[in-house]
Amino acid sequence: MSSKVRDYTKLAHDILNELGGEENIVTVARCATRLRLVTQTTPEGAKERIAKLPGVITVVEKGGQIQIVIGTHVDKVYDAFTQLVKTDGKVTTTDKNSILNRVIATMSAVFAPFIYILAGAGILQGCLILLTLAFPSFSTTGTYQIFSFISWSPFAFLPIFIAITASQHFRCNLYIAVACCAALLSPTWSELAMLIKSGQEIDLFGIALSETTYGSTVLPPLFLVWLLSYLERFLEPRLHSVMKPLLLPLISMIVMVPLTLLVVGPLTANAAHYIADSYNWLVNIAPSIAGGIIGAVWQVFVIFGVHWGITPVVLANFEMYGRDSFQAFQTIAVIGQVGAAMGFYLKTKNKDMKGVSLSAFITGLFGITEPAIYGVNLRYKKPFIYGCISACVGGIVAGFFSPYYFAYAGLPGPLTIVNGISPLFPTSFIGIVIGCAIGFFGPILFIQLLGTGEDKTTTTECEDDTPKILLESVQITSPMTGDVVELSQVPDPAFAEKLMGDGIAIIPTDNHVYAPCDGEVSAVFESSKHAIGLVSNDGVELLIHVGLDTVNLTNNEFQYHVKLDQKVKKGDLLMTFDADAIKQAGYPLITPIIILNSAQYQQITVTEKTRITPQDDLFTIKQ
């Protein structure tokens, strides 16, 4: 529970003590509202103890960081903390989780920008499955053939998508990366690989080539681009500026493509196949155990952001066998949280939470569980636990029916269960349906019998003796153009649970941020420029936070057009941002707009519009 911060040095000192002292601190950073720390180890119970310190709103562990949510005073706490801790010269490799966290961050950055492309293609494949079942002769038509190759194209050319996003993540030349990965998909190489597979030996520099092909592969193009980034950094300062535009792509292609064909491709492709085979071994000998484990822990993986790491395994299964059991069990885990949100909706008496849980349920139908997890289930704990238990049981039962997905689902969920239909595996779909039914109705039953957990939830309101501000009416307009979404749908608990204050979120369709009122710039963040703070002339404190975790972006994705303490008029341009670069880096653009001192007002009304422009009112603040 938070309270006013008065002694920032003491708070910084207390945080440092709870985390084991200066020697345990690896890096120190801050964003608009959070102190972000990486430690070598996390002392047991430190997160809970820090969350109770005066001035701390909550603590979030994410992406290998301990994120201490403080609010607008974070700059002062950060300054005090950096006076106590000198991080220069510390060895970050001593962090045992650092490599894993970097791998997970890379997977997220690479796959997140195009996951909806794969999801759309997977839904199209599911529709073709249903049409073929209803009209068997449809599979012989030209219409089927056309839509079939459309649905498979994103997977056949997956290395190109990876080249685009990975080049952004590793900061190397996009076009060179695409050229190198395109070479792996050349029809000529496919023909050569077929000859090698038939027994003919083909060599490169006297070394026999492997029969590995690269359509639908993940690790070979990913490692190619990663190594390319090092090669480019080596060549850049050594090539003459006049010849660099020609020599850089030339040398990169003649080095990286052969290196991939000879070493990188076979090693990484075989590694992905080996991991997939290890998982499949467990499924073959004990499918119910595999299903129970995935059902129980998959959504826990989602919370910690490690779920992206399984993508190469799933795609390797589709590449090798044309089917995958992991996504079948994963769907049951997703539906467990969807059922928990519905159970909460049916049980709760809180009108606000009814709206939040219903919205989370609808979003979950599309395989997106973050609103359900952060907005409802994890917030009250019991629904999340019931969802995991029910999904575990559903996975165990489904395991007896040999469930598989026969078409990739970018976002496994209720709409993708048709991907489990195949005449060759008649029990597969039955098992998935039974498992999903248990996963969905189980938490509903648990919640009706055992409650939602609301009675044990502590309030997040700030205990503040500041008198309520009395205002006739203050209008705050939208700072940007875009789609309005409830704060509960922001996949970040500090915003979704309104720990920073009341507000709304916008998914921008423009790249400009304007002043929503007359006032003064109260906070800027010079390193990343990802957020801005304002205080209106009426005393309303606002935070506009463009995207989530965008504090990590420091490559000119954001640009300020105002300075700290500058007076602004409503409609003045505050900042601009490169939306494409942010999305390509793997960060969501959803923008929370928070009234930081909302506890001081008696009534805050948010707009009912779903689309908004800077000419529209976003908040109405009254006595």
Side-chain angles (χ1 to χ4, degrees):
M1 186 177 294
S2 64
S3 63
K4 289 184 177 180
V5 178
R6 295 181 177 85
D7 191 337
Y8 306 115
T9 301
K10 182 178 186 305
L11 177 58
H13 190 272
D14 290 343
I15 292 171
L16 184 61
N17 281 343
E18 295 295 349
L19 291 177
E22 180 180 355
E23 294 301 318
N24 195 39
I25 305 299
V26 176
T27 62
V28 183
R30 55 156 287 207
C31 64
T33 59
R34 309 176 190 208
L35 185 65
R36 294 169 176 256
L37 308 174
V38 175
T39 60
Q40 297 188 48
T41 60
T42 303
E44 184 177 355
K47 175 182 173 182
E48 292 75 16
R49 291 192 296 272
I50 292 173
K52 295 178 182 178
L53 293 175
V56 174
I57 297 173
T58 189
V59 180
V60 178
E61 288 189 80
K62 184 177 181 183
Q65 291 183 330
I66 298 173
Q67 302 179 7
I68 303 171
V69 183
I70 294 170
T72 52
H73 305 292
V74 68
D75 56 335
K76 298 178 177 64
V77 179
Y78 172 80
D79 291 340
F81 198 89
T82 52
Q83 293 298 314
L84 299 173
V85 175
K86 307 300 180 184
T87 59
D88 294 344
K90 283 188 175 289
V91 182
T92 59
T93 55
T94 56
D95 180 6
K96 294 181 181 180
N97 294 319
S98 59
I99 295 176
L100 176 61
N101 288 325
R102 288 199 296 269
V103 170
I104 293 166
T106 297
M107 290 296 179
S108 176
V110 169
F111 287 103
F114 60 80
I115 193 66
Y116 288 100
I117 304 297
L118 301 184
I123 290 174
L124 178 55
Q125 291 173 18
C127 292
L128 292 175
I129 290 173
L130 290 177
L131 286 171
T132 303
L133 286 174
F135 310 100
S137 61
F138 178 66
S139 62
T140 62
T141 65
T143 302
Y144 174 87
Q145 299 297 328
I146 294 296
F147 283 102
S148 179
F149 83 69
I150 291 173
S151 71
W152 282 107
S153 292
F155 302 98
F157 294 97
L158 188 59
I160 301 297
F161 288 91
I162 290 173
I164 294 169
T165 55
S167 64
Q168 296 290 328
H169 181 70
F170 295 123
R171 302 193 183 280
C172 61
N173 188 290
L174 183 153
Y175 301 102
I176 297 175
V178 169
C180 291
C181 290
L184 301 181
L185 301 176
S186 168
T188 302
W189 170 247
S190 298
E191 294 170 4
L192 292 175
M194 290 298 294
L195 293 175
I196 296 170
K197 189 174 182 179
S198 67
Q200 182 176 337
E201 183 173 313
I202 299 176
D203 67 84
L204 175 63
F205 305 130
I207 304 173
L209 289 165
S210 165
E211 63 189 45
T212 306
T213 56
Y214 298 97
S216 302
T217 58
V218 172
L219 295 185
L222 185 59
F223 274 81
L224 184 157
V225 178
W226 176 55
L227 294 173
L228 174 65
S229 67
Y230 285 97
L231 178 62
E232 281 192 9
R233 285 195 284 273
F234 174 80
L235 293 175
E236 280 276 358
R238 292 170 172 81
L239 295 177
H240 192 280
S241 58
V242 175
M243 298 299 295
K244 187 184 299 182
L246 174 63
L247 292 180
L248 185 61
L250 174 62
I251 297 172
S252 296
M253 287 189 291
I254 65 176
V255 171
M256 291 311 307
V257 176
L259 180 64
T260 301
L261 294 176
L262 287 171
V263 182
V264 176
L267 284 178
T268 56
N270 288 336
H273 293 169
Y274 177 78
I275 296 171
D277 284 339
S278 299
Y279 162 74
N280 293 331
W281 172 81
L282 175 61
V283 172
N284 290 333
I285 64 169
S288 290
I289 293 178
I293 292 173
I294 296 169
V297 305
W298 177 250
Q299 292 301 301
V300 178
F301 287 175
V302 171
I303 292 172
F304 290 102
V306 301
H307 54 301
W308 293 104
I310 199 64
T311 303
V313 176
V314 172
L315 290 172
N317 272 336
F318 280 109
E319 178 197 0
M320 290 188 295
Y321 308 113
R323 65 181 187 273
D324 170 69
S325 63
F326 194 98
Q327 288 205 314
F329 296 127
Q330 181 183 351
T331 297
I332 298 171
V334 168
I335 289 177
Q337 296 304 313
V338 175
M342 174 50 68
F344 189 96
Y345 169 77
L346 295 173
K347 182 73 172 179
T348 185
K349 303 299 183 182
N350 185 315
K351 290 184 179 180
D352 290 337
M353 287 309 300
K354 268 190 177 293
V356 172
S357 55
L358 182 60
S359 174
F361 165 75
I362 294 172
T363 308
L365 295 177
F366 296 91
I368 304 170
T369 55
E370 283 84 355
I373 291 174
Y374 293 121
V376 182
N377 301 348
L378 196 61
R379 179 177 181 178
Y380 295 100
K381 297 182 179 63
K382 280 186 176 182
F384 183 80
I385 294 171
Y386 299 154
C388 291
I389 292 173
S390 300
C392 176
V393 176
I396 291 172
V397 174
F400 290 104
F401 295 84
S402 300
Y404 290 101
Y405 263 25
F406 301 93
Y408 180 82
L411 296 170
L415 299 183
T416 66
I417 60 174
V418 296
N419 291 13
I421 299 174
S422 172
L424 300 178
F425 294 83
T427 63
S428 171
F429 184 66
I430 297 172
I432 293 172
V433 170
I434 294 174
C436 288
I438 295 172
F440 181 76
F441 290 107
I444 293 177
L445 182 61
F446 276 127
I447 290 172
Q448 303 315 303
L449 295 176
L450 303 176
T452 62
E454 290 173 287
D455 54 328
K456 294 183 179 180
T457 303
T458 58
T459 179
T460 58
E461 291 292 332
C462 177
E463 291 182 352
D464 193 350
D465 56 3
T466 303
K468 301 292 182 183
I469 297 176
L470 303 180
L471 297 171
E472 288 231 1
S473 179
V474 171
Q475 309 291 27
I476 304 293
T477 60
S478 173
M480 55 175 51
T481 299
D483 300 319
V484 180
V485 296
E486 294 182 8
L487 209 58
S488 61
Q489 296 186 35
V490 177
D492 186 308
F495 293 120
E497 297 179 20
K498 300 184 179 181
L499 301 182
M500 301 299 305
D502 204 350
I504 200 74
I506 296 175
I507 300 175
T509 56
D510 192 339
N511 66 339
H512 294 74
V513 178
Y514 300 96
C517 56
D518 295 347
E520 182 177 303
V521 177
S522 59
V524 294
F525 307 89
E526 290 299 341
S527 177
S528 60
K529 301 180 173 66
H530 70 293
I532 193 165
L534 295 174
V535 177
S536 78
N537 290 345
D538 298 295
V540 180
E541 298 177 11
L542 295 168
L543 172 68
I544 305 168
H545 194 291
V546 181
L548 300 181
D549 288 326
T550 43
V551 66
N552 299 318
L553 297 173
T554 57
N555 197 32
N556 299 320
E557 290 87 356
F558 300 90
Q559 185 67 45
Y560 282 139
H561 297 275
V562 291
K563 296 179 180 179
L564 183 66
D565 299 328
Q566 180 177 329
K567 299 289 186 181
V568 295
K569 293 288 187 181
K570 185 169 74 172
D572 287 350
L573 181 63
L574 300 179
M575 57 189 293
T576 54
F577 53 91
D578 188 336
D580 291 336
I582 296 168
K583 288 187 285 189
Q584 288 173 358
Y587 295 94
L589 266 176
I590 188 168
T591 299
I593 299 155
I594 308 299
I595 300 174
L596 296 169
N597 60 339
S598 57
Q600 299 177 11
Y601 301 105
Q602 294 188 2
Q603 183 179 355
I604 297 173
T605 305
V606 299
T607 182
E608 295 182 355
K609 292 185 176 182
T610 57
R611 300 293 300 273
I612 202 163
T613 71
Q615 286 72 47
D616 300 319
D617 288 336
L618 188 64
F619 301 113
T620 300
I621 304 174
K622 298 181 180 179
Q623 175 181 335

